Amino acid sequence: MTSLQPRAYVSRAGRYASAGAAIAGFIGALAGLVIGLDTYAPTAWFAVFEIGIPAAMVGGLLGLLVAGAVHGWRHSVGGR
């Protein structure tokens, strides 16, 4: 019997990292689009990737740091 809940198999760190990467990547891509359109409109899509991809990487790393902090806090308090 298989489960239809893929989140059950993903660790907390993976969930936090992917959420951080998605949120920061979206915000970075949006900022890149605005900056690219303001600078030179025909090449605005390159700015989306130039700013969005590094922002997603930083967001993923911040998500991992937050997951580690949550894990450490729960471990020190004696929770789950």
Side-chain angles (χ1 to χ4, degrees), residues 7 33 44:
R7 291 185 71 189
L33 181 63

Side-chain angles (χ1 to χ4, degrees), residues 43-73:
T43 60
W45 286 107
F46 292 109
V48 169
F49 295 111
E50 286 178 352
I51 298 175
I53 291 173
M57 292 169 46
V58 169
L61 289 174
L62 287 176
L64 281 174
L65 289 174
V66 169
V70 168
H71 176 72
W73 179 75

Side-chain angles (χ1 to χ4, degrees), residues 8-59:
Y9 299 110
V10 179
S11 67
R12 178 178 292 128
R15 288 193 305 259
Y16 280 45
S18 61
I23 292 168
F26 177 75
I27 292 171
L30 189 61
L33 181 63
V34 170
I35 292 169
L37 287 173
D38 186 46
T39 303
Y40 187 63
T43 60
W45 286 107
F46 292 109
V48 169
F49 295 111
E50 286 178 352
I51 298 175
I53 291 173
M57 292 169 46
V58 169

